[in-house]
Amino acid sequence: TQLDAQASVEVDNDELTVVLSITRDGPRPAALTQSVLGVLTKVTEQVKRVDGVQQQVGDVSAFPVWGPKGKTDQWSARASLVLVSKNLGALAALASELTADMQLSSVNFQLSKEKRKAVEKQLMVDLAAAVNSKSSAVAQAFAFKGYAIQSLNLSEQRQAVAMPMLRMATPMASAMADSVPIPTQAGKSMVSLQAQVTVLLQP
């Protein structure tokens, strides 16, 4: 007999990811790259002074700007920086300060690995209870003495209840971003575990 069971829970997001970027345009790619790296170095040193914030440098690149008649003598250099922290307020304040040097590209709230692991551990207990309850109910309904689980297939679903994401279609101007605090309404995520079970009913 094939049975399906599910256990779900809504939990508060506890981690914030901020992506910042810097772009420079001009005729000399080497100078543009050095300018971008200079800003990146300054910002990463500033981030190090804030406890609990992890940072990862993203793509650093320089590429020609193509016009309607083909390549021009203009180049563009770009770099990005990803910041992650469970201290939402500290990172939100830091990111707002950093917009003086870099553009704010996106803000995303999610569950940390530690919290997700703890939630999934509890859901596993709830899922096992649901599987056993369904299996026992089927066995009793059809007058079987018991059951044995022959196979078990687990799957997980992750979904933001109300996606707490701010993403700019175009980079926010530094002067504007500097005066606007980043909101820290983290929202919730739905975590679900599903089980597909093959049950052998015992006469």
Side-chain angles (χ1 to χ4, degrees):
T1 300
Q2 300 289 330
L3 295 176
D4 294 326
Q6 178 175 308
S8 303
V9 65
E10 284 186 11
V11 288
D12 294 327
N13 292 317
D14 66 327
E15 190 172 72
L16 170 60
T17 297
V18 173
V19 179
L20 299 162
S21 63
I22 176 70
T23 304
R24 291 285 187 268
D25 299 312
R28 299 170 55 200
L32 293 174
T33 301
Q34 289 300 311
S35 176
V36 164
L37 290 176
V39 173
L40 200 58
T41 299
K42 175 188 174 183
V43 169
T44 54
E45 289 300 319
Q46 190 172 343
V47 172
K48 289 178 183 178
R49 296 195 289 267
V50 181
D51 293 335
V53 177
Q54 300 176 359
Q55 59 179 325
Q56 179 178 343
V57 175
D59 180 53
V60 180
S61 60
F63 46 90
V65 177
W66 297 87
K69 296 182 179 180
K71 187 175 71 172
T72 69
D73 59 354
Q74 291 295 303
W75 287 73
S76 183
R78 186 181 188 278
S80 61
L81 182 67
V82 181
L83 305 178
V84 181
S85 180
K86 288 187 284 188
N87 189 338
L88 307 185
L91 179 51
L94 172 64
S96 184
E97 295 176 9
L98 295 179
T99 55
D101 296 297
M102 300 183 73
Q103 288 85 29
L104 184 63
S105 296
S106 68
V107 176
N108 185 41
F109 296 90
Q110 67 272 334
L111 293 179
S112 64
K113 292 181 180 179
E114 296 81 4
K115 187 169 185 178
R116 183 175 293 281
K117 184 176 181 180
V119 170
E120 290 175 348
K121 184 177 181 180
Q122 181 56 51
L123 280 180
M124 192 69 70
V125 175
D126 298 340
L127 185 62
V131 168
N132 286 319
S133 177
K134 277 194 171 185
S135 300
S136 179
V138 170
Q140 291 179 13
F142 291 94
F144 285 87
K145 292 182 179 180
Y147 65 90
I149 296 176
Q150 286 189 312
S151 66
L152 176 65
N153 182 31
L154 296 177
S155 60
E156 177 190 358
Q157 287 186 341
R158 306 179 184 184
Q159 180 181 358
V161 177
M163 184 64 74
M165 178 181 289
L166 171 65
R167 186 176 297 277
M168 286 64 174
T170 57
M172 183 185 295
S174 296
M176 181 184 297
D178 195 44
S179 63
V180 179
I182 296 175
T184 55
Q185 287 72 32
K188 296 177 179 290
S189 288
M190 174 75 75
V191 182
S192 299
L193 291 180
Q194 296 178 328
Q196 293 180 326
V197 185
T198 301
V199 175
L200 176 64
L201 299 175
Q202 299 172 335

